[in-house]
């Protein structure tokens, strides 16, 4: 039994259908059930609609998270895989992002993960088995300028997952991080619509460069089905690793960060923002 958050679109939707196609029963949760038609259509096309149950869940609602998990346990008896996927990206320079936007970014991308994970752990612990896949980001390893709130939320997910992996291994539960680079989903457009900046911003030039870079990354980004395939692979691996970076240049960027002096990155980023 697989349980996934944010399954109304993008990586979450494709992962729900791909897990079903691989033989899993799937609880596909989304905050607005009116958006379930895209998922159900795709599931119909792939002949797996009867393996997927959609349920309403806003990951920022801790009480709802606990209730939905309990409902699944009452009906199915177990959850073998939790995919914490729901997320969005707040953009803007630190000084110009209002506190409310910072809080809302962390509420979904970080506290949402904590709430779902805490709700599922007792059941996996009793089973002495389970897998928790947290959809982080390359932004969980690199702080890109103009996206500090998003980076902060994903760095938090990375720290949580490292610690949790140690805590749960003795109970046969593996915690895994999937770290996508840019993939073509609606996260970009949703993000561009809510960039925080001011009329006479001292950061205008930098922010414009960041947006130019982001738009081109989004346009040239690969198919998110690749991430869904990776999640299915991890779900079936006997002994999964902690981290799975994926996407154009993701591995080489991480290798570069590990090996090269920080000053080099600084220079590259400063040059790119001019
Ligand atoms: N695409 C990329 O380039 C990329 C790169 C790195 C990491 N990621 C990560 O991949 C995950 C999926 O993103 P995506 O690219 O597939 O974008 P997406 O198509 O926008 O999907 C995001 C999903 O999260 C849902 N969501 C947002 N806030 C929620 C909340 N409070 N409660 C429940 N669901 C909520 C959205 O629901 P609504 O439809 O209601 O908004 C949507 O279903 C995110 O964690 C994102 O950070 C994406």
């Amino acid at each position: 039994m697989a349980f996934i958050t944010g399954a109304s679109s993008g990586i979450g939707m494709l992962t729900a259908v791909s897990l079903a196609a691989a033989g899993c029963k799937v609880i596909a949760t989304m905050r607005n059930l009116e958006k379930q038609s895209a998922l159900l259509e795709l599931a119909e096309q792939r002949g797996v609609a009867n393996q997927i149950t959609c349920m309403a869940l806003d990951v920022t609602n801790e009480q709802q998270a606990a209730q939905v998990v309990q409902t699944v346990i009452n009906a199915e008896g177990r959850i073998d895989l939790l995919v914490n996927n729901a997320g969005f990206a707040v953009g803007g320079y630190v000084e110009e992002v209002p506190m409310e936007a910072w809080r809302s970014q962390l509420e979904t991308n970080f506290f949402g993960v904590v709430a779902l994970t805490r709700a599922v752990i007792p059941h996996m612990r009793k089973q002495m088995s389970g897998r928790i896949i947290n959809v982080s980001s390359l932004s969980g390893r690199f702080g890109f300028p103009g996206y500090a709130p998003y980076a902060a939320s994903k760095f938090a997910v990375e720290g949580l997952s490292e610690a949790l992996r140690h805590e749960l291994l003795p109970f046969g539960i593996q915690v895994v991080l999937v770290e996508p680079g840019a993939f073509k989903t609606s996260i970009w457009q949703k993000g561009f619509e809510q960039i925080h900046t001011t009329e006479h911003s001292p950061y205008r030039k930098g922010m414009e460069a960041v947006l130019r870079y982001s738009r081109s990354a989004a346009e040239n980004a690969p198919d998110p089905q690749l991430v869904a395939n990776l999640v299915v692979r991890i779900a079936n691996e006997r002994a999964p690793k902690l981290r799975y970076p994926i996407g154009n240049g993701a591995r080489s960027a991480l290798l570069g960060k590990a090996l090269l002096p920080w000053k080099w990155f600084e220079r590259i980023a400063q040059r790119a923002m001019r």
Side-chain angles (χ1 to χ4, degrees), residues 2-9 12-13 16 26-33 36 39 52-59 64-65 68-69 72 82-86 116:
F3 186 113
I4 177 156
T5 64
S8 66
S9 67
M13 177 179 79
V26 178
I27 304 295
T29 68
M30 57 193 77
R31 59 180 162 175
N32 180 0
L33 275 181
Q36 67 183 304
L39 166 66
I52 300 179
T53 307
C54 292
M55 293 180 79
L57 173 58
D58 182 328
V59 299
Q64 191 185 27
V68 173
V69 167
V72 174
L82 167 64
V83 184
N84 280 310
N85 164 78
L116 263 298

Side-chain angles (χ1 to χ4, degrees), residues 1 5 20 44 96 140 158 181 203 206 214 216 222 244 248 256 264:
M1 173 59 59
T5 64
E44 283 289 349
E96 302 189 328
E158 296 268 333
Y203 304 109
S214 305
S216 131
Y244 290 81
N248 290 342
W264 287 31

Side-chain angles (χ1 to χ4, degrees), residues 5-13 29-32 35 57-61 64 84-89 104-105 107-109 112 134-139 150 153-154 178-188 190 218 221-222 224 227 246:
T5 64
S8 66
S9 67
I11 294 169
M13 177 179 79
T29 68
M30 57 193 77
R31 59 180 162 175
N32 180 0
K35 288 192 181 174
L57 173 58
D58 182 328
V59 299
T60 63
N61 184 337
Q64 191 185 27
N84 280 310
N85 164 78
F88 72 108
S104 130
Q105 179 75 104
E107 277 300 335
T108 298
N109 289 16
N134 292 333
V135 181
S136 173
S137 170
L138 211 54
S139 289
Y150 185 61
S153 72
K154 295 297 189 181
V178 170
E179 301 171 325
F183 283 85
K184 213 183 261 281
T185 70
S186 51
I187 198 170
W188 294 93
K190 290 178 195 168
V227 184
I246 176 170

Side-chain angles (χ1 to χ4, degrees), residues 122-222:
H123 307 289
M124 289 187 171
R125 211 168 24 73
K126 271 186 217 136
Q127 292 164 197
M128 286 299 282
S129 73
R131 202 154 283 187
I132 299 171
I133 301 180
N134 292 333
V135 181
S136 173
S137 170
L138 211 54
S139 289
R141 309 286 293 279
F142 289 92
F144 295 109
Y147 290 102
Y150 185 61
S153 72
K154 295 297 189 181
F155 268 67
V157 168
E158 296 268 333
L160 163 76
S161 306
E162 271 193 23
L164 189 64
R165 171 122 173 165
H166 292 301
E167 291 181 8
L168 294 184
L169 273 179
F171 298 95
I173 304 165
Q174 285 113 354
V175 178
V176 177
L177 283 156
V178 170
E179 301 171 325
F183 283 85
K184 213 183 261 281
T185 70
S186 51
I187 198 170
W188 294 93
Q189 197 47 46
K190 290 178 195 168
F192 295 147
E193 282 160 15
Q194 45 172 331
I195 293 281
H196 296 272
T197 185
T198 54
E199 201 182 340
H200 303 292
S201 171
Y203 304 109
R204 191 178 51 82
K205 256 183 136 183
M207 196 64 225
E208 280 169 3
V210 166
L211 283 174
R212 260 197 317 277
Y213 179 83
S214 305
R215 289 210 166 88
S216 131
E219 265 164 39
N220 301 313

